[in-house]
Amino acid sequence: MTRYSALSLIRNALAGNRGWPRAWRDAQPRAEYDVVIVGGGGHGLASAYYLAREHGVSKVAVLEKGYVGGGNTGRNTTIVRSNYMIDGNTRFYEWSMKLWEGLSRDLNFNVMFSQRGQLNLCHSKAQMDAAARRGNIMRLNGIDAELLSRHEVRRMAPILDFSDRARFPIHGALWQQRAGTARHDAVAWGYARAADRHGVDIIQQCEVTGLIRDQGRVVGVDTTRGPIRAGKVGLAVAGHTSELAAMAGLRLPIETHLLQAFVTEPVKPVLDVVVAFGAAHLYVSQSDHGGLVMGGDLDGYNSYEQRGDLPIVEETMAAVKSLLPLVSRLRILRQWSGVMDMTMDGSPIICKAPVDGLYINGGWCYGGFKATPASGWCFAHTIANDRAHDLSARFTMERFHRGHQLDEKGMGPIPGAH
Amino acid sequence: MLRIACPYCGERDQVEFAYGGDASEGFPELADSDVGRWTKFVFVRENPRGVHGEYWHHQYGCRQWLRVVRDTVTHQVHSVAPARQGDRT
């Protein structure tokens, strides 16, 4: 396996770039593994990587029904942040941020993590109070946060609508400097390559069709490429967790909903920070290529169709135009959507399932991408040690039964509202 | 855009309706003190990939609650009926 470096870049450039080996092996499924991870997105690949590297589990396979990173890892708006407020979330997402900060070096793969900062805009005095409270709680947890005035926001992002005609005047913002964006495909590829280097088999075009049970315990999976025995099976298939869990007879506190994202034609640099609108559900950043990348609300009803409906297109465009009037002159270049596990409290699930041999990582709602490193870290720990990691100890399913939901927004058990 | 045939108003665009979620779980008896049944009703969902029974509120029309059977992959609406107490999908 070639180690990527300036030297390897020069050497291959001089040789006409014909000498690059493939980034990871095209592994064929073996009959048996210690751990099988279902789902070859960022979370599954990260879990496999940390299982091999941190816990010394040697025989690990990642099964992917399509291609690596073809699901939600490649269908988000690439935002990374850790501006969480409630116990159970704060330290987990901050650990994720710390892993992000060293990720390119750790994986020997440039994930293009750009800590350009995120503005969470406030449009009323009440929102400024709420932002101050959130910022204070973040800082008490060792997370960077700064409350900015209207004037400071204007200096940072003058392209936003600061006119007298603005539908939602900007009062200020909560700023997280260490937030930013990363290249989503590179995250999947980087983890895949690094996991492969640690001996993990990455098996694409291999769909799980059932679970093999022995006296109640899950001891393997049936796949489109034959049965594979496994000491432990981990699910990292957010969007389809309910379907896979149903194979073990489990019903989860999850609904599957669809979320769309959009990118405009590329323009000159106009916005060098990530912006979250506070008056409607909207987040926008400008990619290195120049396109404005944005996302909004869920389509609003249960859906497994990765396509998206028109009312949300209109709603998102109306919101972005009220914030960034210049977009009315731009064309939308691409639109895509992903299906996501919306849990009943808006927080994820990382736990040992009530069925022996099965482990669940899912329920990522809107926030799966930024959580990728910590999710893999904690899921690997849970699988290897048969108990929750300290940082993900609250991400259980029992929390719903005990009334200890992690409801960051205080919305109640309405999955579409988180 | 979904088109939902309201039994009172006729076929209308989805934007006239508000989504009311899964209609398969019945409301437990108010005197029921079993935590498991309430947990199931409030939090746990079948979440099928395929045919799904769900509530829609004709918010900008007749304001009636409807029970719709729809496919979550193709979005084909199989049936629309008034929601009645005691209904299950």
Side-chain angles (χ1 to χ4, degrees):
Chain A
M1 182 68 60
T2 316
R3 201 180 151 71
Y4 295 153
S5 65
L7 194 67
S8 74
L9 199 65
I10 294 166
R11 199 168 42 225
N12 277 284
L14 292 175
N17 282 319
R18 281 187 296 271
W20 292 109
R22 58 180 300 148
W24 62 84
R25 294 168 294 128
D26 181 21
Q28 299 305 308
R30 284 190 268 175
E32 193 173 353
Y33 289 93
D34 293 336
V35 177
V36 162
I37 303 281
V38 185
H43 290 249
L45 293 163
S47 304
Y49 170 63
Y50 293 122
L51 265 173
R53 200 195 72 175
E54 296 294 315
H55 303 282
V57 182
S58 54
K59 283 160 60 187
V60 181
V62 176
L63 309 183
E64 167 55 46
K65 74 172 174 183
Y67 58 93
V68 158
N72 290 337
T73 301
R75 293 170 189 269
N76 51 69
T77 48
T78 78
I79 297 168
V80 175
R81 58 184 171 85
S82 61
N83 56 344
Y84 282 77
M85 190 168 77
I86 60 174
D87 285 348
N89 280 338
T90 42
R91 288 174 59 229
F92 174 83
Y93 286 103
E94 179 57 15
W95 175 238
S96 205
M97 180 64 85
K98 292 209 168 80
L99 289 174
W100 275 110
E101 287 172 331
L103 198 59
S104 292
R105 185 176 294 266
D106 183 18
L107 300 179
N108 182 229
F109 201 98
N110 187 4
V111 298
M112 295 170 74
F113 183 43
S114 155
Q115 290 179 293
R116 60 186 66 182
Q118 175 167 338
L119 287 168
N120 288 280
L121 298 178
C122 304
H123 308 271
S124 66
K125 283 182 179 168
Q127 273 189 325
M128 284 297 279
D129 288 345
R133 174 167 176 256
R134 177 176 290 269
N136 285 335
I137 293 171
M138 286 165 65
R139 290 172 75 126
L140 285 170
N141 280 288
I143 307 165
D144 67 308
E146 201 180 330
L147 197 64
L148 303 183
S149 67
R150 174 181 164 92
H151 180 67
E152 289 167 307
V153 175
R154 186 170 198 168
R155 223 171 23 204
M156 208 173 260
I159 199 75
L160 305 180
D161 191 353
F162 284 94
S163 72
D164 297 337
R165 291 169 47 227
R167 173 69 183 83
F168 299 103
I170 294 167
H171 283 232
L174 188 62
W175 167 248
Q176 188 183 17
Q177 173 64 64
R178 287 157 66 242
T181 60
R183 182 169 178 218
H184 48 10
D185 296 324
V187 175
W189 299 335
Y191 269 119
R193 179 169 167 273
D196 178 83
R197 209 170 51 206
H198 282 86
V200 172
D201 280 357
I202 295 161
I203 302 158
Q204 303 182 71
Q205 305 286 322
C206 180
E207 183 174 357
V208 169
T209 54
L211 298 174
I212 304 172
R213 306 282 288 269
D214 184 14
Q215 292 171 351
R217 189 187 163 86
V218 174
V219 294
V221 289
D222 279 316
T223 76
T224 48
R225 295 174 68 172
I228 300 172
R229 307 285 287 192
K232 295 174 178 179
V233 174
L235 305 181
V237 291
H240 295 83
T241 309
S242 297
E243 257 195 297
L244 273 287
M247 293 176 186
L250 301 175
R251 293 174 84 222
L252 307 179
I254 288 175
E255 282 185 7
T256 296
H257 285 257
L258 187 147
L259 184 63
Q260 306 190 44
F262 311 87
V263 62
T264 68
E265 58 186 322
V267 288
K268 290 270 173 71
V270 291
L271 188 66
D272 62 358
V273 295
V274 179
V275 177
F277 195 21
H281 204 161
L282 176 83
Y283 28 95
V284 55
S285 65
Q286 190 171 22
S287 75
D288 296 341
H289 184 55
L292 291 167
V293 183
M294 51 211 169
D297 252 326
L298 297 171
D299 270 23
Y301 47 85
N302 293 41
S303 177
Y304 279 89
E305 177 220 37
Q306 291 173 320
R307 222 164 53 207
D309 205 351
L310 289 171
I312 286 295
V313 179
E314 194 176 1
E315 192 180 307
T316 308
M317 294 309 131
V320 74
K321 185 174 175 301
S322 78
L323 179 67
L324 276 164
L326 91 153
V327 299
S328 62
R329 304 282 294 274
L330 299 180
R331 280 164 295 192
I332 294 293
L333 205 63
R334 287 189 295 125
Q335 170 269 6
W336 64 93
S337 48
V339 293
M340 42 212 40
D341 285 353
M342 298 303 295
T343 57
M344 291 308 213
D345 62 357
S347 294
I349 292 166
I350 300 179
C351 68
K352 195 175 175 323
V355 176
D356 276 348
L358 187 68
Y359 301 78
I360 295 178
N361 174 339
W364 288 102
C365 303
Y366 280 81
F369 181 67
K370 65 172 134 21
T372 305
S375 160
W377 185 276
C378 293
F379 196 40
H381 182 279
T382 306
I383 294 173
N385 300 308
D386 265 320
R387 60 184 163 79
H389 190 283
D390 188 33
L391 292 173
S392 60
R394 302 275 302 269
F395 297 160
T396 62
M397 287 199 284
E398 292 82 55
R399 69 179 189 262
F400 297 98
H401 190 77
R402 292 183 299 123
H404 285 195
Q405 296 95 283
L406 287 175
D407 193 340
E408 182 83 22
K409 286 167 78 182
M411 300 300 273
I414 306 162
H418 291 287
Chain B
M1 174 93 73
L2 297 179
R3 299 271 290 169
I4 298 172
C6 173
Y8 304 103
C9 314
E11 191 177 84
R12 300 294 179 87
D13 282 348
Q14 155 212 335
V15 291
E16 289 189 12
F17 299 83
Y19 186 58
D22 193 333
S24 61
E25 202 65 59
F27 203 95
E29 292 294 324
L30 283 177
D32 193 343
S33 59
D34 185 90
V35 176
R37 268 195 293 278
W38 281 101
T39 304
K40 193 159 163 274
F41 169 70
V42 178
F43 297 114
V44 180
R45 297 289 178 266
E46 195 74 50
N47 192 23
R49 186 176 194 278
V51 176
H52 186 234
E54 58 200 23
Y55 292 120
W56 288 82
H57 183 212
H58 198 181
Q59 196 165 30
Y60 302 109
C62 59
R63 300 193 63 79
Q64 294 299 305
W65 279 93
L66 308 173
R67 201 160 56 86
V68 176
V69 177
R70 178 183 62 91
D71 192 299
T72 59
V73 182
T74 64
H75 296 323
Q76 190 189 345
V77 175
H78 294 294
S79 70
V80 185
R84 300 263 186 253
Q85 199 172 13
D87 275 350
R88 302 283 185 282
T89 304

